Amino acid sequence: MTPAEVVVGPTPREFWIGLGRAFAGALIFAVPVLMTMEAWALGFHLHPLRLALLLEHVLRSMNRL
């Protein structure tokens, strides 16, 4: 059997680096979800003709139409 080892936590610098990485990961996940929710809300609240015009504008700007 091995003797009990003392577990030491991260240094303050490692803690802040980890916290920054967690925050960046949360942003990477949250921003697209927020944009999707905004797109759905926009689609539900726009008049169908204006939504069709917006879709046409987006497709033309992407050279898809």
Side-chain angles (χ1 to χ4, degrees):
M1 292 240 169
T2 60
E5 296 181 16
V6 177
V7 178
V8 179
T11 63
R13 183 174 187 276
E14 292 172 338
F15 171 78
W16 287 109
I17 289 172
L19 192 63
R21 287 179 177 168
F23 185 71
L27 279 178
I28 288 171
F29 177 75
V31 169
V33 171
L34 176 64
M35 289 180 185
T36 302
M37 290 170 29
E38 289 176 354
W40 279 97
L42 182 65
F44 281 124
H45 293 294
L46 275 179
H47 187 272
L49 179 60
R50 291 189 70 179
L51 186 58
L53 290 173
L54 175 64
L55 181 61
E56 178 189 11
H57 173 73
V58 170
L59 291 176
R60 284 187 189 274
S61 68
M62 293 172 35
N63 294 325
R64 304 260 181 185
L65 193 64

XYZ file of all heavy atoms in Angstrom:
509
model
N 0.841 -1.182 0.000
C 0.000 0.000 0.000
C 0.885 1.244 0.000
O 1.903 1.283 0.649
C -0.865 0.028 1.259
C -1.907 -1.025 1.327
S -3.388 -0.087 1.435
C -4.596 -1.251 1.199
N 0.413 2.248 -0.734
C 1.173 3.494 -0.786
C 0.643 4.429 0.286
O -0.535 4.393 0.646
C 1.027 4.159 -2.163
O -0.353 4.441 -2.379
C 1.551 3.252 -3.253
N 1.503 5.268 0.815
C 1.038 6.222 1.822
C 0.074 7.235 1.205
O 0.082 7.466 -0.008
C 2.314 6.894 2.311
C 3.329 6.644 1.255
C 2.922 5.380 0.565
N -0.755 7.821 2.021
C -1.735 8.805 1.552
C -1.005 10.008 0.972
O -0.028 10.478 1.531
C -2.646 9.233 2.688
N -1.487 10.466 -0.167
C -0.875 11.623 -0.817
C -1.699 12.862 -0.526
O -2.917 12.803 -0.413
C -0.803 11.395 -2.321
C 0.098 10.243 -2.710
C 0.153 10.061 -4.211
O -0.252 10.985 -4.945
O 0.582 8.996 -4.635
N -1.025 13.960 -0.416
C -1.692 15.232 -0.181
C -2.096 15.802 -1.537
O -1.271 15.953 -2.430
C -0.765 16.222 0.564
C -1.449 17.561 0.733
C -0.350 15.636 1.895
N -3.367 16.095 -1.692
C -3.871 16.662 -2.940
C -3.882 18.173 -2.794
O -4.507 18.716 -1.891
C -5.291 16.135 -3.255
C -5.820 16.777 -4.522
C -5.270 14.626 -3.365
N -3.158 18.828 -3.679
C -3.074 20.284 -3.648
C -3.888 20.821 -4.813
O -3.795 20.315 -5.932
C -1.605 20.744 -3.755
C -1.519 22.256 -3.738
C -0.791 20.147 -2.626
N -4.680 21.864 -4.573
C -5.506 22.466 -5.615
C -4.671 23.294 -6.569
O -3.449 23.412 -6.422
N -5.315 23.881 -7.557
C -4.590 24.686 -8.541
C -4.053 25.972 -7.916
O -4.593 26.472 -6.930
C -5.644 24.994 -9.604
C -6.939 24.903 -8.875
C -6.743 23.851 -7.825
N -3.014 26.498 -8.518
C -2.484 27.791 -8.075
C -3.486 28.869 -8.475
O -4.362 28.641 -9.329
C -1.128 28.067 -8.737
O -1.322 28.165 -10.147
C -0.119 26.968 -8.418
N -3.375 30.062 -7.895
C -4.298 31.136 -8.306
C -4.244 31.429 -9.808
O -5.273 31.672 -10.437
C -3.825 32.334 -7.485
C -3.227 31.723 -6.261
C -2.572 30.464 -6.738
N -3.058 31.374 -10.394
C -2.932 31.613 -11.831
C -3.667 30.537 -12.622
O -4.393 30.840 -13.578
C -1.459 31.641 -12.224
C -1.245 31.966 -13.680
C 0.253 32.121 -13.995
N 0.466 32.579 -15.338
C 0.500 31.793 -16.420
N 0.352 30.493 -16.270
N 0.689 32.288 -17.613
N -3.494 29.285 -12.253
C -4.192 28.192 -12.938
C -5.697 28.303 -12.766
O -6.468 27.993 -13.688
C -3.708 26.845 -12.408
C -2.277 26.519 -12.760
C -1.777 25.273 -12.061
O -2.339 24.885 -11.013
O -0.811 24.682 -12.558
N -6.126 28.760 -11.583
C -7.549 28.944 -11.335
C -8.136 29.975 -12.291
O -9.182 29.743 -12.920
C -7.787 29.377 -9.887
C -9.207 29.796 -9.617
C -10.194 28.844 -9.450
C -9.554 31.129 -9.554
C -11.511 29.212 -9.212
C -10.865 31.516 -9.317
C -11.835 30.554 -9.143
N -7.464 31.128 -12.440
C -7.986 32.191 -13.298
C -7.935 31.789 -14.777
O -8.817 32.141 -15.556
C -7.240 33.508 -13.063
C -7.621 34.115 -11.748
C -6.862 34.201 -10.640
C -8.887 34.676 -11.411
N -7.571 34.789 -9.617
C -8.810 35.095 -10.062
C -10.071 34.878 -12.097
C -9.885 35.692 -9.411
C -11.137 35.477 -11.433
C -11.031 35.873 -10.111
N -6.904 31.039 -15.161
C -6.848 30.542 -16.542
C -8.018 29.590 -16.796
O -8.691 29.661 -17.829
C -5.494 29.854 -16.821
C -4.384 30.905 -16.873
C -5.548 29.051 -18.113
C -2.991 30.313 -16.959
N -8.272 28.698 -15.846
C -9.398 27.773 -15.979
C -10.731 28.497 -16.020
O -11.624 28.139 -16.804
N -10.863 29.523 -15.191
C -12.102 30.303 -15.180
C -12.297 31.029 -16.508
O -13.409 31.076 -17.047
C -12.073 31.302 -14.020
C -13.380 31.995 -13.693
C -14.417 30.983 -13.239
C -13.160 33.040 -12.618
N -11.207 31.575 -17.058
C -11.290 32.233 -18.368
C -11.680 31.263 -19.465
O -12.482 31.580 -20.339
N -11.110 30.050 -19.417
C -11.465 29.040 -20.410
C -12.922 28.625 -20.284
O -13.609 28.416 -21.294
C -10.565 27.817 -20.257
C -9.169 28.041 -20.735
C -8.315 26.818 -20.536
N -6.984 27.022 -21.054
C -5.977 26.222 -20.822
N -6.140 25.134 -20.083
N -4.791 26.473 -21.327
N -13.403 28.518 -19.067
C -14.811 28.155 -18.862
C -15.726 29.243 -19.403
O -16.749 28.955 -20.046
C -15.068 27.922 -17.379
N -15.366 30.496 -19.147
C -16.177 31.614 -19.635
C -16.177 31.647 -21.166
O -17.227 31.843 -21.789
C -15.639 32.932 -19.066
C -16.479 34.121 -19.407
C -17.720 34.306 -18.835
C -16.024 35.046 -20.322
C -18.496 35.401 -19.158
C -16.789 36.139 -20.664
C -18.029 36.321 -20.074
N -15.005 31.438 -21.780
C -14.921 31.429 -23.242
C -15.740 30.274 -23.821
O -16.436 30.438 -24.827
C -13.467 31.317 -23.682
N -15.679 29.111 -23.187
C -16.475 27.985 -23.649
C -17.964 28.254 -23.538
O -18.746 27.883 -24.421
N -18.357 28.918 -22.456
C -19.771 29.265 -22.295
C -20.217 30.233 -23.381
O -21.325 30.110 -23.917
C -20.000 29.862 -20.912
N -19.366 31.192 -23.724
C -19.719 32.132 -24.791
C -19.824 31.433 -26.140
O -20.732 31.710 -26.923
C -18.675 33.246 -24.878
C -18.820 34.374 -23.880
C -17.688 35.374 -24.057
C -20.150 35.071 -24.028
N -18.885 30.527 -26.405
C -18.919 29.804 -27.682
C -20.222 29.016 -27.806
O -20.803 28.908 -28.883
C -17.686 28.886 -27.804
C -16.439 29.731 -28.030
C -17.855 27.869 -28.924
C -15.151 28.954 -27.949
N -20.717 28.482 -26.703
C -21.964 27.732 -26.741
C -23.179 28.656 -26.747
O -24.151 28.418 -27.468
C -22.051 26.793 -25.533
C -23.338 26.039 -25.459
C -23.584 24.980 -26.305
C -24.315 26.403 -24.560
C -24.783 24.298 -26.254
C -25.511 25.725 -24.485
C -25.743 24.666 -25.338
N -23.144 29.732 -25.967
C -24.333 30.561 -25.746
C -24.643 31.496 -26.903
O -25.814 31.735 -27.201
C -24.180 31.363 -24.462
N -23.639 32.048 -27.558
C -23.888 33.038 -28.606
C -24.683 32.448 -29.778
O -25.671 33.045 -30.206
C -22.564 33.702 -29.052
C -22.751 34.531 -30.307
C -22.030 34.574 -27.923
N -24.316 31.290 -30.315
C -25.149 30.739 -31.392
C -26.577 30.414 -30.946
O -27.522 30.589 -31.722
C -24.416 29.469 -31.813
C -23.008 29.678 -31.390
C -23.087 30.506 -30.148
N -26.735 29.965 -29.715
C -28.081 29.672 -29.217
C -28.890 30.952 -29.128
O -30.058 30.997 -29.518
C -28.013 28.954 -27.855
C -29.388 28.836 -27.236
C -27.389 27.588 -28.011
N -28.265 32.028 -28.663
C -28.949 33.316 -28.574
C -29.353 33.788 -29.965
O -30.464 34.261 -30.174
C -28.048 34.350 -27.902
C -28.598 35.768 -27.822
C -29.847 35.802 -26.951
C -27.551 36.703 -27.282
N -28.452 33.651 -30.923
C -28.779 34.077 -32.288
C -29.912 33.250 -32.862
O -30.758 33.769 -33.580
C -27.539 33.980 -33.168
C -26.507 34.995 -32.859
S -25.123 34.775 -33.963
C -23.993 35.979 -33.308
N -29.939 31.968 -32.567
C -31.022 31.121 -33.049
C -32.349 31.548 -32.440
O -33.360 31.639 -33.128
C -30.732 29.645 -32.710
O -29.498 29.300 -33.311
C -31.823 28.743 -33.226
N -32.336 31.843 -31.138
C -33.567 32.277 -30.478
C -34.038 33.602 -31.061
O -35.234 33.808 -31.278
C -33.341 32.417 -28.965
C -33.162 31.080 -28.284
S -32.622 31.115 -26.570
C -33.215 32.615 -25.914
N -33.103 34.510 -31.356
C -33.485 35.783 -31.955
C -34.040 35.580 -33.354
O -35.001 36.245 -33.751
C -32.289 36.727 -32.001
C -31.866 37.240 -30.657
C -30.634 38.091 -30.719
O -30.028 38.213 -31.787
O -30.276 38.634 -29.667
N -33.455 34.666 -34.100
C -33.955 34.407 -35.447
C -35.371 33.844 -35.399
O -36.222 34.225 -36.209
C -33.015 33.449 -36.176
N -35.624 32.946 -34.475
C -36.975 32.396 -34.344
C -37.961 33.479 -33.929
O -39.070 33.566 -34.463
C -36.994 31.257 -33.319
C -36.530 29.965 -33.902
C -35.288 29.433 -33.823
C -37.318 29.051 -34.677
N -35.242 28.233 -34.497
C -36.468 27.974 -35.027
C -38.633 29.041 -35.110
C -36.906 26.905 -35.786
C -39.066 27.965 -35.872
C -38.213 26.918 -36.189
N -37.573 34.319 -32.987
C -38.466 35.395 -32.550
C -38.758 36.351 -33.704
O -39.898 36.783 -33.894
C -37.839 36.148 -31.377
N -37.715 36.667 -34.491
C -37.911 37.539 -35.641
C -38.877 36.908 -36.640
O -39.769 37.566 -37.169
C -36.560 37.816 -36.308
C -36.553 38.756 -37.499
C -36.961 40.157 -37.063
C -35.188 38.771 -38.134
N -38.716 35.616 -36.880
C -39.600 34.927 -37.813
C -41.049 34.891 -37.362
O -41.965 34.983 -38.172
N -41.255 34.769 -36.059
C -42.627 34.722 -35.544
C -43.302 36.086 -35.547
O -44.511 36.184 -35.674
C -42.656 34.156 -34.126
C -42.544 32.657 -34.085
C -41.545 32.052 -33.359
C -43.435 31.857 -34.779
C -41.427 30.665 -33.316
C -43.343 30.478 -34.738
C -42.337 29.882 -34.016
N -42.514 37.156 -35.428
C -43.107 38.485 -35.279
C -43.163 39.283 -36.580
O -43.872 40.285 -36.647
C -42.353 39.292 -34.219
C -42.513 38.722 -32.848
N -43.716 38.697 -32.184
C -41.626 38.130 -32.028
C -43.555 38.115 -31.014
N -42.294 37.757 -30.887
N -42.435 38.872 -37.599
C -42.463 39.591 -38.869
C -43.705 39.218 -39.677
O -44.182 38.089 -39.616
C -41.238 39.257 -39.707
C -39.980 40.050 -39.451
C -38.865 39.563 -40.363
C -40.191 41.519 -39.663
N -44.197 40.184 -40.431
C -45.274 39.911 -41.377
C -44.711 38.981 -42.457
O -43.550 39.116 -42.850
C -45.744 41.239 -41.993
C -46.951 41.089 -42.846
N -46.869 40.784 -44.196
C -48.260 41.187 -42.560
C -48.081 40.711 -44.704
N -48.952 40.957 -43.728
N -45.494 38.026 -42.946
C -44.972 37.050 -43.914
C -44.331 37.689 -45.156
O -43.325 37.193 -45.661
C -46.199 36.228 -44.294
C -47.096 36.324 -43.110
C -46.859 37.691 -42.536
N -44.879 38.795 -45.652
C -44.304 39.449 -46.826
C -42.919 40.012 -46.497
O -41.980 39.872 -47.270
C -45.228 40.557 -47.334
C -44.718 41.328 -48.545
C -44.504 40.388 -49.730
C -45.664 42.447 -48.901
N -42.794 40.649 -45.343
C -41.489 41.194 -44.944
C -40.484 40.077 -44.714
O -39.300 40.219 -45.031
C -41.636 42.046 -43.681
C -42.405 43.336 -43.950
C -42.372 44.251 -42.790
N -41.015 44.777 -42.650
C -40.670 45.642 -41.725
N -41.565 46.065 -40.864
N -39.439 46.078 -41.646
N -40.934 38.943 -44.185
C -40.046 37.809 -43.983
C -39.558 37.263 -45.327
O -38.377 36.942 -45.490
C -40.761 36.712 -43.189
C -39.923 35.516 -42.776
C -38.737 35.933 -41.934
C -40.781 34.524 -42.008
N -40.452 37.206 -46.306
C -40.071 36.749 -47.644
C -39.075 37.716 -48.284
O -38.103 37.289 -48.925
C -41.309 36.604 -48.529
N -39.282 39.014 -48.094
C -38.342 40.004 -48.633
C -36.980 39.902 -47.951
O -35.939 40.029 -48.599
C -38.910 41.420 -48.474
C -40.105 41.744 -49.359
C -40.684 43.105 -48.988
C -39.719 41.698 -50.820
N -36.979 39.659 -46.661
C -35.720 39.479 -45.931
C -34.988 38.238 -46.429
O -33.782 38.269 -46.668
C -35.985 39.365 -44.430
C -34.760 39.055 -43.566
C -33.753 40.194 -43.629
C -35.186 38.791 -42.133
N -35.714 37.159 -46.630
C -35.114 35.929 -47.135
C -34.544 36.143 -48.545
O -33.435 35.700 -48.847
C -36.149 34.810 -47.143
C -35.663 33.450 -47.614
C -34.542 32.933 -46.723
C -36.814 32.472 -47.638
N -35.284 36.861 -49.390
C -34.788 37.153 -50.728
C -33.508 37.985 -50.656
O -32.532 37.710 -51.371
C -35.841 37.909 -51.535
C -35.362 38.276 -52.927
C -36.324 39.200 -53.648
O -37.253 39.724 -53.019
O -36.099 39.400 -54.860
N -33.479 38.975 -49.805
C -32.296 39.821 -49.649
C -31.089 39.006 -49.193
O -29.990 39.156 -49.730
C -32.584 40.951 -48.656
C -31.379 41.753 -48.314
N -30.810 42.635 -49.198
C -30.622 41.786 -47.197
C -29.749 43.191 -48.631
N -29.620 42.687 -47.412
N -31.279 38.130 -48.236
C -30.180 37.302 -47.730
C -29.672 36.368 -48.814
O -28.463 36.230 -49.017
C -30.627 36.514 -46.474
C -29.600 35.475 -46.090
C -30.887 37.463 -45.318
N -30.586 35.743 -49.531
C -30.177 34.825 -50.597
C -29.463 35.560 -51.733
O -28.481 35.050 -52.288
C -31.375 34.052 -51.125
C -31.967 33.026 -50.145
C -33.206 32.398 -50.748
C -30.948 31.977 -49.772
N -29.930 36.756 -52.073
C -29.252 37.512 -53.119
C -27.864 37.957 -52.665
O -26.924 37.964 -53.463
C -30.076 38.732 -53.529
C -31.242 38.406 -54.401
C -31.919 39.674 -54.904
N -33.151 39.350 -55.573
C -33.242 39.029 -56.854
N -32.166 39.002 -57.594
N -34.408 38.762 -57.397
N -27.716 38.326 -51.397
C -26.402 38.751 -50.907
C -25.419 37.582 -50.874
O -24.223 37.786 -50.943
C -26.534 39.388 -49.533
O -26.899 38.421 -48.579
N -25.937 36.366 -50.798
C -25.074 35.179 -50.808
C -24.919 34.619 -52.225
O -24.311 33.580 -52.408
C -25.670 34.092 -49.900
C -25.669 34.472 -48.443
S -26.560 33.324 -47.363
C -26.284 31.750 -48.047
N -25.474 35.313 -53.225
C -25.443 34.864 -54.626
C -26.057 33.478 -54.788
O -25.567 32.647 -55.538
C -24.021 34.888 -55.190
C -23.465 36.269 -55.301
O -24.196 37.213 -55.597
N -22.184 36.408 -55.045
N -27.133 33.232 -54.081
C -27.815 31.931 -54.166
C -29.122 32.034 -54.941
O -29.813 31.052 -55.105
C -28.117 31.396 -52.770
C -26.947 31.275 -51.878
C -26.471 29.899 -51.820
N -25.340 29.838 -50.909
C -24.633 28.789 -50.715
N -24.936 27.679 -51.326
N -23.612 28.807 -49.908
N -29.492 33.213 -55.366
C -30.773 33.389 -56.047
C -30.559 34.080 -57.372
O -29.731 34.901 -57.542
C -31.721 34.193 -55.157
C -33.174 34.230 -55.543
C -33.788 32.841 -55.455
C -33.920 35.186 -54.670
